[in-house]
């Protein structure tokens, strides 16, 4: 060090100071509280009011839960147990109604000795969805995903095995017709893939299934749709509507974007008509009016009619969500597909749709969640969903007067389903982010 610098600096430290802990107000929980709850006058007031509301709510709700009774045969017995244990003025939930009637809330009036069938069907449903939702599983499992709907139908409804097999045969014939039609023209291939299975199901499937049933009566106990209810009914309608509405919605979105006049106007008319009428009106249409347009003596199952209407209703909303994804895609993506020499279908399948669907994931999942919750509307046309069964349970002499306990259980079950869909949506969005490994 120079003499001049040594004369102007009073003290020069030759060793480093030891590292010290940061102030307690700048780390940990105290820092978080200061930054998030007490950062200003407005935030402090809102925090204090929120704490008061939370404490007040928990003070009323927690005793109701903590004093709950799970083993009783009726509401009257529940109250007697409460009076004996906690006093007549105590707040107590009578969850004994869930213990006594859980099977109805889950399965409706499905025969108890056959509960193994819907339970097995639910497990098989999860196994069929797994390879579709998670691409790290072997792709060979997708074959099971395509066959699962026919197996699940056979398990739930029972009867002869030849009915589901004839429906499957129609799809096989449609696939064969599409392959032959491709050699002529793409439009002819699509028309053949639609007309061949429809004609087979209308005129040949029934007689063939009947003849095979008489020749080889293979099947299990048949269960009518009117015996199904509860969350099993909500799951059947919800999963069917979600599965069928997504591809139909994509087709409608492409049709609305099409330059072909008839396809464009038909898609627009369908979407606007369906979206312009409440779902409950379409459900009443399926329940009451549809039979007037069917041939005399036709027995068209009510649950199937509801699934069709729910699918059409959801597909109109999915179409608009997907159309938003297509509109958000830069024009350069379409030009890039043209520059590669791809035809319309290849450009959509390989370049445009994957990106548009990624953009549309939040809207699509939001529509699916709304669709699953809207299955409760079927109570108005005579199907016993969880809400309808809760009314039936409360109408009995044993549980007349029970209220919140049933709806807490129903709300919890719907939350589990809808929260799971929301979390999968977040997982998928994160996985599809650019640069994600």
């Amino acid at each position: 060090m120079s003499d001049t610098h040594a004369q102007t600096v009073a003290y020069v430290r030759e060793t480093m100071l030891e590292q010290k802990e940061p102030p307690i107000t700048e780390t940990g929980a105290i820092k978080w509280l200061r930054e998030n709850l007490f950062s200003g006058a407005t935030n402090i007031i809102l925090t204090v009011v929120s704490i008061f509301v939370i404490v007040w709510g928990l003070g009323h709700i927690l005793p109701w839960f903590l004093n709950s009774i799970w083993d009783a045969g009726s509401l009257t017995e529940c109250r007697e147990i409460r009076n004996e244990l906690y006093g007549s003025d105590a707040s107590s939930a009578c969850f004994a109604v869930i213990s006594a009637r859980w099977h109805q809330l889950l399965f409706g009036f499905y025969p108890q000795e056959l509960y193994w069938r819907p339970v097995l069907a639910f497990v098989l449903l999860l196994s069929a969805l797994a390879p579709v939702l998670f691409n790290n599983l072997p792709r060979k499992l997708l074959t099971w995903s395509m066959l699962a709907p026919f197996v699940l139908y056979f398990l739930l409804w029972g009867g002869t095995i030849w009915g589901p097999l004839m429906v499957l045969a129609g799809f096989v014939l449609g696939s064969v017709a599409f392959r032959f039609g491709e050699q002529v023209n793409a439009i002819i291939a699509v028309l053949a893939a639609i007309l061949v299975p429809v004609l087979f199901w209308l005129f040949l499937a029934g007689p063939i299934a009947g003849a095979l049933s008489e020749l080889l009566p293979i099947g299990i106990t048949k269960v009518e749709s009117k015996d199904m209810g509860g969350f099993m009914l909500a799951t059947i309608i919800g999963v069917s509507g979600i599965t069928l509405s997504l591809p139909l919605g994509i087709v409608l979105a492409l049709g609305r974007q099409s330059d072909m006049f008839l396809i464009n106007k038909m898609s627009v008319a369908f979407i606007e008509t369906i979206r312009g009428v409440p779902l409950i009106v379409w459900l009443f249409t399926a329940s009451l009016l549809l039979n007037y347009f069917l041939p005399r003596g036709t027995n068209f199952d009510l649950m199937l009619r509801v699934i069709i209407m729910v699918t059409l209703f959801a597909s109109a909303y999915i179409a608009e969500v997907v159309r938003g994804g297509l509109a958000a895609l830069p024009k350069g993506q379409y030009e890039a597909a043209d520059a590669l020499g791809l035809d319309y279908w290849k450009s959509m399948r390989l370049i445009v749709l994957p990106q548009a669907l990624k953009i549309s994931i939040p809207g699509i999942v939001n529509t699916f969640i709304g669709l699953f919750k809207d299955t409760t509307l079927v109570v108005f046309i005579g199907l016993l969903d969880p809400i309808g069964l809760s009314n039936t349970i409360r109408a009995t002499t044993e549980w007349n007067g029970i209220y919140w306990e049933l709806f807490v259980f129903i709300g919890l079950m719907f939350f589990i389903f809808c929260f799971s869909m929301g979390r999968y949506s977040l997982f998928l969005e994160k996985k599809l982010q650019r640069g994600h490994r």
Side-chain angles (χ1 to χ4, degrees), residues 358-377:
K358 185 183 75 170
I359 297 172
S360 307
I361 286 174
I364 291 174
V365 175
N366 185 59
T367 303
F368 288 164
I369 291 175
L371 169 64
F372 188 78
K373 292 187 293 185
D374 284 344
T375 57
T376 54
L377 293 175

Side-chain angles (χ1 to χ4, degrees), residues 72-188:
S74 65
L75 180 59
T76 302
E77 187 178 342
C78 234
R79 289 171 176 169
E80 292 174 354
I81 296 173
R82 179 203 63 185
N83 296 342
E84 182 180 348
L85 294 177
Y86 311 111
S88 59
D89 296 332
S91 177
S92 176
C94 184
F95 285 117
V97 64
I98 307 299
S99 302
R101 298 299 183 94
W102 64 269
H103 55 283
Q104 286 188 355
L105 290 171
L106 294 181
F107 303 109
F109 296 102
Y110 207 88
Q112 293 191 22
E113 67 275 10
L114 301 179
Y115 280 172
W116 65 271
R117 280 163 50 177
V119 171
L120 177 60
F122 184 73
V123 174
L124 294 178
L125 171 65
L126 296 180
S127 68
L129 289 176
V132 177
L133 300 179
F134 304 101
N135 61 1
N136 55 351
L137 295 175
R139 295 293 89 188
K140 294 181 179 179
L141 294 177
L142 289 174
T143 303
W144 160 240
S145 300
M146 292 185 288
L147 295 176
F150 308 99
V151 178
L152 299 181
Y153 176 87
F154 178 66
L155 272 176
L156 292 173
W157 275 270
T160 177
I161 195 175
W162 299 111
L165 287 179
M166 288 300 103
V167 177
L168 178 60
F171 285 106
V172 173
L173 291 175
S175 176
V176 173
F178 180 80
R179 292 184 180 275
F180 278 105
E182 273 187 320
Q183 301 176 6
V184 181
N185 185 277
I187 296 179
I188 292 177

Side-chain angles (χ1 to χ4, degrees), residues 195-375:
L195 291 177
V196 169
V198 169
L199 294 175
F200 174 77
W201 291 329
L202 288 176
F203 300 105
L204 296 177
I208 294 175
L212 290 174
S213 298
E214 294 182 0
L215 183 63
L216 294 173
I218 303 173
I220 55 179
T221 305
K222 184 175 178 60
V223 179
E224 298 294 336
S225 295
K226 61 182 178 63
D227 294 328
M228 300 181 186
F231 282 98
M232 182 178 67
L233 177 69
T235 304
I236 292 173
I237 296 175
V239 172
S240 301
I242 289 171
T243 304
L244 298 173
S245 64
L246 181 59
L248 181 56
I250 294 173
V251 171
L252 287 171
L254 295 178
R256 187 159 187 171
Q257 295 280 85
S258 175
D259 295 329
M260 299 178 70
F261 180 81
L262 286 179
I263 292 179
N264 178 276
K265 298 308 176 185
M266 290 174 63
S267 300
V268 170
F270 177 88
I271 292 171
E272 297 303 329
T273 302
I274 293 292
R275 289 201 309 157
V277 180
L279 176 58
I280 187 64
V281 174
W282 292 118
L283 292 178
F284 276 116
T285 301
S287 174
L288 302 174
L289 300 180
L290 195 58
N291 279 339
Y292 290 105
F293 300 97
L294 296 174
R296 185 182 298 273
T298 302
N299 184 18
F300 200 21
D301 188 82
L302 177 59
M303 189 185 298
L304 180 58
R305 284 180 268 161
V306 168
I307 290 174
I308 292 173
M309 282 299 179
V310 167
T311 299
L312 296 178
F313 186 82
S315 65
Y317 284 86
I318 292 292
E320 289 300 280
V321 172
V322 174
R323 187 170 70 91
L326 292 171
L329 206 60
K331 187 178 179 181
Q333 298 297 318
Y334 296 88
E335 295 173 349
D338 293 337
L340 291 172
L342 300 177
D343 60 21
Y344 175 82
W345 295 109
K346 286 185 178 180
S347 65
M348 285 295 166
R349 181 169 60 89
L350 299 176
I351 295 180
V352 176
L353 273 181
Q355 298 182 75
L357 292 177
K358 185 183 75 170
I359 297 172
S360 307
I361 286 174
I364 291 174
V365 175
N366 185 59
T367 303
F368 288 164
I369 291 175
L371 169 64
F372 188 78
K373 292 187 293 185
D374 284 344
T375 57

